[in-house]
Amino acid sequence: MKERVYNFSAGPSMLPIEVLEDAAANLTNYKGCGTSVMEMSHRSKEFQQIIDDAEANLRKLMNIPENYKVLFLQGGGTLQFSMVPMNLMTKNKKADYIITGSWGKKAAKEAAKFGDVKIVASSEDKNFSYIPEIRAEDLRQDADYVHICYNETIHGVHFNKIPDTGDIPLVADMSSCILSEEVDVSRFALIYAGAQKNIAPSGMTIVIIREDLIGNAPENCPVYLDYKTHADKGSMYNTPPCFTIYIAGEVFKHILAMGGVGEMHERDVRKAEKLYNYIDSSDFYKAAVSEKDRSLMNVVFVTGDEALDKEFVAAAREEGMTNLNGHRSVGGMRASIYNAMPEEGVDKLIDFMKRFEEEHK
Ligand SMILES: Cc1ncc(COP(=O)(O)O)c(C=O)c1O
C-alpha cells in the first residue's frame, strides 16, 4: 500500500501522525544528542529527562493525586493479572471480581491462583453485552480489593459509572480506554493499562497505585513482581522499555497540546456516536452491546451472517480500512476507534458501510 491506511486494530493501534513524524525526524539523532533514544543509556541524563517529563505530563493529564505512584512496567496488561493479586491479595487473601468480558475473566482466573476469588457479578449469561448491576451487599466487606475491566476491548462494553465499593479498594484495567475520558483517580486504588492502544507502541504498562498499597507483597514475591521494587527506583530497577516510554511521553505532550483529556473525550464521543447512530439506523447492521454500556473505543457490530461479515472485512481492507474483524473468539466486526483515529477515518468507514449495505441487502 502506498498510503497509510485507517487502521481499526484493537492494539497495537494507530498513533498520532504528528508524533510518528517527529519521532522519525529524531530517530537517528535525538535532539542533537548524537544518538537515538533506542541506543541511549537509560541511566543518561537525557533519558532521565524523558521519563521524568512523561510521568509529569501523565500526572497533569489525569490529575493524579500526590499520594499515588506512577510506574512504567513491562509484561503487558497480562502481567498485571498476576501482579495485582500478588501484591494486593495479601491481608484476607480474598478478592471480588466483576466479569464483563474476556479480559476480566482472564484476570479472575489468574487471581484465583493466589487466593479466594469470588465472581460477584457477571454478564456472561448474555455474552458480555451489558454491565451488570452491582449492589454493595454483593461485595464481601473483607475482600482485599474489587477488580473491574473498565472497558472490555473484545466485547466493546464500558462502565459508564464507577461502581461504589465503599472502603474496599477498587482496581481497574483501563488498557483500552485510558486517556479517552476524565476519571477521578482517587476513586481507584490501582489503575493499570497496557500502552499499545491509546498511548504508545507495545512493551509498557502503566500502573497508577495508591501509596498505601505498596510494600505488602509476601517475602517470596519475585523482585520484579513487587510494586515496591519499581516505586523505589523510579521505574528503573532494571532496563525499562526506553523507546516506548519516549513515545508515550510524546503522546502525552500531544494530548496536552490538543487541550487535554476532556478535549479527547469530546472527539471520541463525536466519533463513536456517529458510528453507533448509523448502525442503529440501519436494518442491515446490529450493534452487539446494550445502548447504555457501549464502549467509545471498541465498536462491535455484526450483519448476522458470518460469511457476509468476512466479506465486509475483506472489502474494507481493499479500500484502506484494516483490521475490522472482531476478535477471533467472537467473530463479527469491531472498529477500534482510539484517540488517534481521525474523524475522517470514521466518516470513511460509515460511507463504506452504507455502500456495502446497498450492495448486499
Ligand atoms: C482490556 C485489556 N486488558 C488486558 C489486555 C492484555 O494486554 P497485553 O497483551 O498487553 O498483555 C488487553 C489486550 O488487548 C486488553 O484489551
Side-chain angles (χ1 to χ4, degrees):
M1 289 199 190
K2 287 206 187 77
E3 288 179 10
R4 276 175 65 77
V5 295
Y6 289 113
N7 176 7
F8 291 89
S9 163
S13 31
M14 289 182 85
L15 289 168
I17 188 70
E18 298 87 347
V19 170
L20 292 178
E21 285 174 349
D22 186 69
N26 281 287
L27 195 66
T28 56
N29 188 351
Y30 173 74
K31 294 189 176 165
C33 291
T35 185
S36 75
V37 177
M38 284 181 272
E39 301 159 303
M40 202 178 262
S41 164
H42 58 293
R43 306 286 176 207
S44 63
K45 71 176 192 324
E46 288 85 0
F47 188 75
Q48 190 64 52
Q49 190 69 50
I50 288 172
I51 193 168
D52 288 349
D53 287 350
E55 178 177 339
N57 285 330
L58 181 64
R59 283 184 174 278
K60 216 182 282 174
L61 279 171
M62 291 185 69
N63 204 9
I64 300 173
E66 285 284 313
N67 62 327
Y68 284 71
K69 291 275 189 216
V70 173
L71 311 176
F72 298 131
L73 308 182
Q74 300 184 61
T78 302
L79 188 56
Q80 293 313 305
F81 298 166
S82 329
M83 275 179 86
V84 165
M86 285 175 108
N87 284 266
L88 268 54
M89 214 204 277
T90 47
K91 217 158 116 203
N92 297 324
K93 296 209 179 321
K94 290 181 181 176
D96 288 355
Y97 277 67
I98 297 166
I99 312 288
T100 55
S102 305
W103 294 112
K105 193 173 173 182
K106 271 194 172 169
K109 191 170 173 213
E110 185 64 13
K113 294 177 185 168
F114 300 95
D116 170 5
V117 164
K118 183 175 175 202
I119 310 299
V120 289
S122 166
S123 55
E124 194 163 13
D125 59 336
K126 290 193 180 140
N127 197 24
F128 299 125
S129 59
Y130 69 102
I131 299 288
E133 196 62 39
I134 294 128
R135 296 166 307 176
E137 59 266 33
D138 295 333
L139 306 172
R140 296 182 293 185
Q141 288 312 305
D142 59 347
D144 290 330
Y145 63 90
V146 176
H147 182 282
I148 59 171
C149 179
Y150 209 59
N151 185 78
E152 278 283 356
T153 323
I154 294 175
H155 296 88
V157 228
H158 174 262
F159 277 86
N160 288 315
K161 200 171 88 198
I162 302 172
D164 184 5
T165 60
D167 291 334
I168 315 168
L170 178 61
V171 174
D173 177 355
M174 292 198 188
S175 292
S176 47
C177 60
I178 192 165
L179 300 180
S180 68
E181 62 192 300
E182 286 170 325
V183 289
D184 179 355
V185 173
S186 70
R187 297 277 309 273
F188 299 89
L190 189 154
I191 292 169
Y192 63 90
Q196 66 272 21
K197 301 164 198 302
N198 261 341
I199 295 179
S202 58
M204 190 253 288
T205 317
I206 288 172
V207 173
I208 301 166
I209 178 172
R210 214 174 60 209
E211 279 170 354
D212 60 290
L213 296 166
I214 299 173
N216 305 319
E219 283 280 299
N220 65 352
C221 180
V223 66
Y224 192 86
L225 304 185
D226 186 342
Y227 290 127
K228 190 170 189 315
T229 303
H230 305 282
D232 287 351
K233 297 287 182 192
S235 298
M236 287 215 270
Y237 171 75
N238 68 333
T239 317
C242 298
F243 195 76
T244 299
I245 291 172
Y246 155 62
I247 297 291
E250 294 301 303
V251 169
F252 299 154
K253 283 186 216 162
H254 175 77
I255 298 176
L256 280 170
M258 290 187 56
V261 175
E263 172 64 28
M264 288 318 311
H265 183 63
E266 275 183 32
R267 288 165 188 250
D268 291 333
V269 167
R270 210 162 52 229
K271 288 187 289 179
E273 274 186 355
K274 266 187 185 180
L275 192 45
Y276 284 121
N277 284 344
Y278 171 64
I279 294 169
D280 288 343
S281 73
S282 128
D283 296 332
F284 187 74
Y285 303 102
K286 189 176 175 309
V289 175
S290 74
E291 207 171 325
K292 67 180 190 5
D293 303 319
R294 288 173 178 174
S295 166
L296 293 180
M297 301 280 100
N298 312 101
V299 178
V300 176
F301 59 100
V302 292
T303 62
D305 174 341
E306 265 180 51
L308 208 52
D309 289 350
K310 284 204 173 74
E311 196 181 328
F312 177 98
V313 171
R317 190 183 164 76
E318 286 302 304
E319 295 200 19
M321 288 167 283
T322 60
N323 294 307
L324 278 160
N325 50 300
H327 188 267
R328 58 189 181 280
S329 62
V330 294
M333 276 82 76
R334 171 177 52 173
S336 293
I337 49 175
Y338 296 116
N339 286 352
M341 170 61 69
E343 195 162 340
E344 302 83 74
V346 175
D347 292 339
K348 186 171 165 168
L349 174 61
I350 294 170
D351 177 62
F352 169 79
M353 288 170 77
K354 285 180 183 163
R355 282 186 285 114
F356 190 84
E357 175 173 355
E358 277 306 308
E359 285 158 22
H360 294 85
K361 73 178 174 191

